[in-house]
Amino acid sequence: MRTLISTAFVSLDGVVEAPGGEPGYRNSGWTFQEIEFEEAAYAIKGEEQEEATALLLGRTSYEAFSPVWPDMAEFTGYKGMPKYVVSTTLREDDLVGGWGETTVLRSLDEVAALKETEGGPIIVHGSATLNQHLSDAGLIDRYHLLVFPLLLGAGKRLFSDTDKDAQKLRLVAHEAYANGIQKNVFEVVR
């Protein structure tokens, strides 16, 4: 079974919306505008590219990343690996060229089936709504969180507010940086 990893920039109050400057959110760009840059805090991003063998995205994140990421030096590790987009509305004609093999999955059942295939870890970037559904369905195996010392209030959250049984996590790696960012890596306890 493949490991499904959710990676996120998250505010202390759980907001994951528009960390890099995506339009339409009041606090857009909060990861770079509000916090002093410290390279060591972002080392996990390179480690994730080395570990991952596939990229899973929701439609909105795919549409934001696909025109930009293929040509960014920081994300070259993702260019050649298979990509999966979970969407009920995205058409095959909507997929961009030049970013490797991309498959549209239509349901969480198809994500569960993908996890059952041979291969290494699958990583989810962005994709707030998808992350909530994957978490609620028990499909996420590990969380890589960079927690920023900010309270953003309104905004899309990493976790849903669905009433469900408690899910235990095991902290497997953590580090705090001088700029206040905390790296927390949690495995889901089954």
Side-chain angles (χ1 to χ4, degrees), residues 28-96:
S28 184
W30 51 269
T31 57
F32 303 109
Q33 295 173 7
E34 302 296 332
I35 305 296
E36 180 182 332
F37 181 78
E38 186 170 334
E39 189 171 342
Y42 298 94
I44 192 170
K45 296 295 144 196
E47 295 163 10
E48 289 169 349
Q49 286 185 73
E50 290 176 17
E51 180 182 13
T53 60
L55 184 61
L56 180 69
L57 299 166
R59 180 194 51 81
T60 301
S61 290
Y62 174 79
E63 289 175 342
F65 296 162
S66 63
V68 181
W69 277 25
D71 297 324
M72 289 181 71
E74 300 88 52
F75 300 111
T76 56
Y78 293 125
K79 190 166 185 172
M81 70 178 63
K83 284 151 216 68
Y84 299 90
V85 183
V86 181
S87 174
T88 58
T89 59
L90 190 71
R91 299 171 306 158
E92 298 290 331
D93 294 348
D94 298 328
L95 300 175
V96 301

Side-chain angles (χ1 to χ4, degrees), residues 18-179:
E22 299 81 358
Y25 175 60
R26 176 183 180 181
N27 293 312
S28 184
W30 51 269
T31 57
F32 303 109
Q33 295 173 7
E34 302 296 332
I35 305 296
E36 180 182 332
F37 181 78
E38 186 170 334
E39 189 171 342
Y42 298 94
I44 192 170
K45 296 295 144 196
E47 295 163 10
E48 289 169 349
Q49 286 185 73
E50 290 176 17
E51 180 182 13
T53 60
L55 184 61
L56 180 69
L57 299 166
R59 180 194 51 81
T60 301
S61 290
Y62 174 79
E63 289 175 342
F65 296 162
S66 63
V68 181
W69 277 25
D71 297 324
M72 289 181 71
E74 300 88 52
F75 300 111
T76 56
Y78 293 125
K79 190 166 185 172
M81 70 178 63
K83 284 151 216 68
Y84 299 90
V85 183
V86 181
S87 174
T88 58
T89 59
L90 190 71
R91 299 171 306 158
E92 298 290 331
D93 294 348
D94 298 328
L95 300 175
V96 301
W99 200 28
E101 170 193 348
T102 304
T103 303
V104 179
L105 304 178
R106 300 294 180 195
S107 68
L108 292 180
D109 288 340
E110 290 186 32
V111 175
L114 174 63
K115 283 188 63 177
E116 295 293 331
T117 63
E118 292 293 320
I122 304 164
I123 196 155
V124 182
H125 279 274
S127 309
T129 302
L130 176 60
N131 262 292
Q132 291 176 0
H133 293 306
L134 292 169
S135 178
D136 289 348
L139 293 173
I140 296 177
D141 300 298
R142 190 173 355 140
Y143 292 94
H144 292 185
L145 306 178
L146 285 181
V147 182
F148 287 71
L150 294 170
L151 300 175
L152 297 173
K156 292 180 185 173
R157 309 233 175 240
L158 180 60
F159 300 103
S160 75
D161 59 2
T162 302
D163 186 14
K164 59 186 173 194
D165 292 337
Q167 175 65 70
K168 185 173 172 115
L169 306 174
R170 180 183 316 109
L171 182 66
V172 295
H174 63 92
E175 195 162 347
Y177 304 96
N179 63 359

